[in-house]
Amino acid sequence: MLHLESLVCYACRTNQNLNFFDNEKRRAFVGTCGHSICLTCAKSNPNISCPICSRSNSFISGTVNYGSTNIIEQYESNVFQLFKKWWQQFNSGIGVCCNCLDHKLLRICMTCKKKKDLKDVDILKYALCQKCQDRYRSDKRSEEEQEKYRGYLKDENKPIECRICHNATTNPFFDSTWFELNTLHLNLDTFNFCADCILDDHADHETAKMSNNTSQSKLSMRILTVQILEKLLERKLEVDENQMKCKLRHMRMIMTTQYHQYQDLKSTCHCVEVWNDVVKLNVFDFFERNPHFYTMVEKTDLEDNLDGCPLEFESNKHEKELLLKIIRKGR
């Protein structure tokens, strides 16, 4: 498995933004807990708690990890090979067992991994009050499942701030879906086992194939680990918005390694004008994506060579009409 989480500073990470370690202002700064943040975050708040394990004052006596200064450059220079290796690994499910080191078909022990994630990650960031739990979470977990989360609280009687409304609650629920979406790539390398080792040490645990859906999230593990590698690919293929030739084919290029389909374009596409209107009107969803553009891209077979812009495809006619209607209304 690729250690993708070792490339990113989790102190300044947001849902839409990832800051990679570099050789300048964002050098990797290792704390006494063993986790790293970027030098910018360490200097701006020396008393910061570790964003992964929440240990207090972890970076007061930290040190710059000079051994990792070239890691981003190495990843970026080989990003297409890395992408291919990473994609094939999830397709085949074959890798090195963490226990016996044999090269075999692997399974992930989800039970052990989740236990480790709950120990390493600040669970308070995912707390909900009763009102927000009832209002926003449709995939409510059992009380037994919620008790597992509450078991990792240091002081069960201390009021906790709800992550949505920010009101204090002494009876917290936990946004388990959001927790899993943010932690599925963490510690992933540590819990891959062959069938023999699963039977020996994890027989009663919940396990999952790397290429299959997990029972926790109902989403492909591959999709949930794509963000960091996708960002690396974006950096490799970064295009100035003012020089964009086709927004839809650029979005499609980011999802595939068929970058020549965008690079070979000679003229600017009509979808760029539409995209500029989308930006002006702020036509974005909760994840700061335009759903119409994403639907148009996803309706195309990512393995095919495109003959034209997806905005003009008959299969995208409905999405195009909906989007243009919104733009004409100006809201």
Side-chain angles (χ1 to χ4, degrees):
M1 290 297 296
L2 304 175
H3 295 268
L4 298 178
E5 70 273 12
S6 65
L7 307 178
V8 177
C9 175
Y10 278 79
C12 51
R13 178 189 179 186
T14 66
N15 296 334
Q16 286 77 37
N17 184 58
L18 294 175
N19 288 319
F20 289 103
F21 298 125
D22 59 28
N23 294 339
E24 299 175 0
K25 294 182 179 180
R26 297 196 183 277
R27 290 182 182 273
F29 192 79
V30 186
T32 54
C33 59
H35 299 125
S36 296
I37 62 175
C38 69
L39 191 58
T40 297
C41 290
K43 285 185 175 181
S44 63
N45 184 7
N47 298 319
I48 188 174
S49 297
C50 176
I52 295 178
C53 67
S54 299
R55 182 180 293 182
S56 302
N57 303 321
S58 290
F59 302 98
I60 291 179
S61 302
T63 181
V64 173
N65 183 2
Y66 291 101
S68 65
T69 54
N70 295 319
I71 187 170
I72 294 296
E73 286 80 358
Q74 292 172 0
Y75 270 82
E76 284 187 335
S77 63
N78 299 296
V79 65
F80 294 117
Q81 292 87 342
L82 286 170
F83 201 101
K84 183 177 181 180
K85 176 183 176 183
W86 169 82
W87 193 268
Q88 289 176 340
Q89 186 170 252
F90 280 105
N91 275 342
S92 66
I94 295 174
V96 178
C97 175
C98 295
N99 187 47
C100 67
L101 304 182
D102 282 348
H103 196 263
K104 294 181 177 180
L105 189 66
L106 303 179
R107 294 187 70 85
I108 302 169
C109 181
M110 303 303 296
T111 300
C112 291
K113 183 188 177 303
K114 185 172 183 179
K115 185 176 180 180
K116 176 65 173 174
D117 293 340
L118 283 166
K119 182 179 179 181
D120 284 355
V121 178
D122 185 5
I123 190 64
L124 296 181
K125 294 179 181 179
Y126 302 91
L128 296 172
C129 65
Q130 176 77 62
K131 184 177 180 180
C132 290
Q133 165 75 1
D134 293 340
R135 182 175 181 180
Y136 296 108
R137 299 311 319 162
S138 59
D139 55 336
K140 297 179 177 61
R141 302 301 173 93
S142 66
E143 184 61 28
E144 181 182 358
E145 183 78 6
Q146 288 292 334
E147 282 300 321
K148 290 182 181 179
Y149 284 92
R150 296 188 186 109
Y152 285 87
L153 297 176
K154 295 178 181 178
D155 186 351
E156 295 186 13
N157 298 317
K158 184 179 178 180
I160 295 174
E161 181 180 305
C162 172
R163 81 172 189 87
I164 295 179
C165 69
H166 305 293
N167 291 325
T169 177
T170 55
N171 181 35
F173 292 83
F174 292 93
D175 193 338
S176 54
T177 300
W178 196 241
F179 174 83
E180 289 156 10
L181 285 171
N182 280 274
T183 59
L184 268 176
H185 67 280
L186 289 177
N187 302 311
L188 196 60
D189 303 3
T190 315
F191 299 103
N192 297 319
F193 304 102
C194 65
D196 292 337
C197 292
I198 286 285
L199 290 174
D200 290 343
D201 303 313
H202 309 267
D204 298 327
H205 293 181
E206 179 186 2
T207 65
K209 292 181 180 179
M210 285 191 292
S211 56
N212 281 4
N213 293 340
T214 69
S215 60
Q216 292 175 302
S217 66
K218 307 302 181 186
L219 293 171
S220 166
M221 187 75 75
R222 179 168 60 189
I223 298 302
L224 292 170
T225 56
V226 74
Q227 186 186 21
I228 297 175
L229 199 53
E230 181 183 55
K231 188 67 176 181
L232 275 174
L233 192 60
E234 283 182 357
R235 284 160 61 100
K236 181 78 172 180
L237 305 174
E238 190 171 4
V239 175
D240 189 330
E241 286 286 338
N242 295 323
Q243 299 178 352
M244 186 72 66
K245 290 179 286 187
C246 178
K247 181 64 181 180
L248 283 165
R249 276 177 280 193
H250 180 260
M251 290 172 62
R252 192 173 182 274
M253 176 182 68
I254 297 301
M255 297 180 184
T256 69
T257 57
Q258 296 180 346
Y259 56 94
H260 64 276
Q261 292 187 32
Y262 176 84
Q263 303 284 15
D264 294 342
L265 294 176
K266 304 299 182 184
S267 59
T268 302
C269 179
H270 174 57
C271 75
V272 174
E273 181 183 343
V274 177
W275 177 255
N276 290 334
D277 289 333
V278 165
V279 174
K280 289 177 184 177
L281 295 174
N282 194 28
V283 188
F284 298 104
D285 62 15
F286 177 79
F287 299 102
E288 296 192 3
R289 305 184 310 179
N290 177 265
H292 308 86
F293 266 65
Y294 265 84
T295 299
M296 291 182 202
V297 172
E298 290 171 351
K299 278 187 177 180
T300 63
D301 190 330
L302 297 182
E303 300 299 325
D304 288 347
N305 291 319
L306 294 187
D307 182 18
C309 174
L311 184 71
E312 308 304 332
F313 290 176
E314 184 65 26
S315 59
N316 288 328
K317 183 178 179 180
H318 178 66
E319 289 296 330
K320 177 182 177 180
E321 291 177 349
L322 286 176
L323 182 56
L324 292 179
K325 185 177 181 181
I326 291 172
I327 292 172
R328 286 194 296 271
K329 286 184 175 181
R331 60 184 176 86

